[in-house]
Amino acid sequence: VVSVFKIPIAETTLYLTFDNKKLSVKKWSDITGINVKTIKSRINLGWSVEDALTKPIANTGKRKNVY
């Protein structure tokens, strides 16, 4: 459970509980493949922990593949 306050993006000690597991955002990032900053931003935007850790990354079209 995350309290209702803004989480500094650079802070790395935040813990999230999901599926009865309490892990650091870094560990959740390693497990889910979702960037730490993305997870923290989602939480700051009011996403539930479940959505922040399970929703796929949206393809915004801003990045271009470089070969």
Side-chain angles (χ1 to χ4, degrees):
V1 177
V2 176
S3 299
V4 183
F5 61 89
K6 295 296 181 184
I7 303 161
I9 296 299
E11 186 176 319
T12 58
T13 58
L14 176 70
Y15 286 84
L16 300 176
T17 302
F18 174 66
D19 199 25
N20 294 319
K21 297 175 190 164
K22 182 179 178 181
L23 302 171
S24 69
V25 172
K26 171 67 173 114
K27 185 65 177 171
W28 281 119
S29 176
D30 292 342
I31 291 168
T32 64
I34 299 172
N35 185 285
V36 169
K37 288 183 181 181
T38 300
I39 295 171
K40 288 183 178 184
S41 292
R42 288 174 169 189
I43 296 296
N44 280 338
L45 289 170
W47 289 39
S48 68
V49 173
E50 179 179 7
D51 285 349
L53 298 176
T54 61
K55 295 288 183 183
I57 304 295
N59 182 1
T60 61
K62 293 181 182 178
R63 297 180 188 182
K64 294 183 179 179
N65 292 334
V66 178
Y67 297 101

